[in-house]
Amino acid sequence: MCMVIFAPLFAIFAFATCGGYSGGLRLSVDCVNKTESNLSIDIAFAYPFRLHQVTFEVPTCEGKERQKLALTGDSSSSAEFFVTVAVFAFLYSLAATVVYIFFQNKYRENNRGPLIDFIVTVVFSFLWLVGSSAWAKGLSDVKVATDPKEVLLLMSACKQPSNKCMAVHSPVMSSLNTSVVFGFLNFILWAGNIWFVFKETGWHSSGQRYLSDPMEKHSGSYSHGGYNQDSYGSSGGYDQQASMGPSSDEFGQQSSAPASFTNQI
C-alpha cells in the first residue's frame, strides 16, 4: 500500500524539481574607463544543462570591443536519463495502482501478474540507483561550471588588476539538490518493495513447500525409527535371556544320565 501511495508522488517530485529547473547568475565588470563597464551581466541556464551552449558577452575594458564566452560542461545525458526514469516510474506506478484496485483477480491469474511486477520492480530499483548516482555527479559538475568565481576566470578583463570583477548573485540550486534526494528516496522505496512483491509470486510459495517437505519427512522417519528401536530392544532382550543357558529341565536330564549309568554298572 505504501508503494501505491508514495511511488507516484516521489516520482513527480523527482522529475519536476529537475526537469522544471531554470536559474542564472549575475556578474559585474567595472573597468577603469567607466563607459566600458557592464555592472549587470546575466547568464541564464536551465534543464537539460547543456552549458557549453550557454553564451554571453562581457566587456574587455579595451575600448568598445566585447568578448563572447560560453559556460563549460554538458550534464544533459545524466539529467535526461534521470528525468526519463522518473517519468516512466510514475506511469508504471499509476498503471500498477489501477491493476491492484480494479483487476486484482486478473493480476493473480496464472501467477503472471506478480512475476511481471517483480521483474519490473527490480529493474526500476536498479535504474533509480544508476540514475540518481549519475545525476548527483552531473549536478556537482553544474555547480562547478556555474560558480561565479569560475566564470570570472574566463574573462580577460578580470585578469587585469585595475578592473574590478565581482558576482552580484549566485544561482540557487536548492531544487536540484531536492531532486537528488528524491531520486535516492525512490531507490529505497522501490528496493524495499522487492520483498513484498516477491511474496506474491509462485517462487516464494514453492520455496516454502520445498523447505517444509524435508522437515516433515525427517520427523516421520525419526518417529518410525524410535518404534523399531523399542521393538528391537524388547525382542532382543528376550532372545538374550533365552540364549544365556539351558533351562532347568534340560539341566535335570543331563544330570540324571550319569546316575543311571552307575546303576547299570
Side-chain angles (χ1 to χ4, degrees), residues 245-259:
S247 62
S248 60
D249 295 339
E250 292 177 353
F251 183 78
Q253 291 177 359
Q254 291 177 357
S255 61
S256 63

Side-chain angles (χ1 to χ4, degrees), residues 75-147:
S75 300
S76 60
S77 59
S78 58
E80 290 176 343
F81 179 76
F82 179 80
V83 171
T84 301
V85 172
V87 170
F88 279 101
F90 170 73
L91 295 177
Y92 179 78
S93 300
L94 289 183
T97 302
V98 173
V99 172
Y100 291 158
I101 296 175
F102 299 103
F103 302 99
Q104 187 63 235
N105 294 331
K106 293 291 184 180
Y107 174 77
R108 298 180 180 275
E109 185 177 355
N110 297 327
N111 199 35
R112 185 175 301 174
L115 288 178
I116 296 175
D117 195 14
F118 173 74
I119 294 173
V120 174
T121 302
V122 172
V123 171
F124 269 112
S125 300
F126 176 75
L127 292 178
W128 273 118
L129 177 61
V130 174
S132 300
S133 301
W135 170 230
K137 177 60 172 62
L139 177 57
S140 178
D141 296 337
V142 170
K143 290 180 178 180
V144 172
T146 58
D147 186 0

Side-chain angles (χ1 to χ4, degrees), residues 72-249:
T72 59
D74 183 6
S75 300
S76 60
S77 59
S78 58
E80 290 176 343
F81 179 76
F82 179 80
V83 171
T84 301
V85 172
V87 170
F88 279 101
F90 170 73
L91 295 177
Y92 179 78
S93 300
L94 289 183
T97 302
V98 173
V99 172
Y100 291 158
I101 296 175
F102 299 103
F103 302 99
Q104 187 63 235
N105 294 331
K106 293 291 184 180
Y107 174 77
R108 298 180 180 275
E109 185 177 355
N110 297 327
N111 199 35
R112 185 175 301 174
L115 288 178
I116 296 175
D117 195 14
F118 173 74
I119 294 173
V120 174
T121 302
V122 172
V123 171
F124 269 112
S125 300
F126 176 75
L127 292 178
W128 273 118
L129 177 61
V130 174
S132 300
S133 301
W135 170 230
K137 177 60 172 62
L139 177 57
S140 178
D141 296 337
V142 170
K143 290 180 178 180
V144 172
T146 58
D147 186 0
K149 295 180 180 179
E150 296 293 330
V151 178
L152 290 175
L153 295 177
L154 301 176
M155 303 180 186
S156 60
C158 298
K159 297 178 182 180
Q160 301 175 9
S162 57
N163 301 322
K164 296 180 180 180
C165 300
M166 60 181 298
V168 178
H169 69 77
S170 301
V172 179
M173 300 286 187
S174 58
S175 62
L176 296 181
N177 294 330
T178 304
S179 67
V180 174
V181 172
F182 273 106
F184 285 105
L185 286 178
N186 274 286
F187 163 69
I188 295 173
L189 179 65
W190 284 81
N193 193 53
I194 291 176
W195 167 247
F196 298 100
V197 178
F198 177 73
K199 290 173 65 177
E200 300 292 332
T201 63
W203 296 337
H204 180 262
S205 58
S206 62
Q208 286 185 334
R209 289 196 300 268
Y210 177 76
L211 292 176
S212 61
D213 290 344
M215 293 294 294
E216 294 176 356
K217 292 180 180 180
H218 180 71
S219 60
S221 61
Y222 178 79
S223 60
H224 183 66
Y227 175 78
N228 292 338
Q229 185 176 2
D230 295 339
S231 62
Y232 174 77
S234 60
S235 62
Y238 176 79
D239 294 340
Q240 184 177 4
Q241 183 178 2
S243 61
M244 285 183 64
S247 62
S248 60
D249 295 339

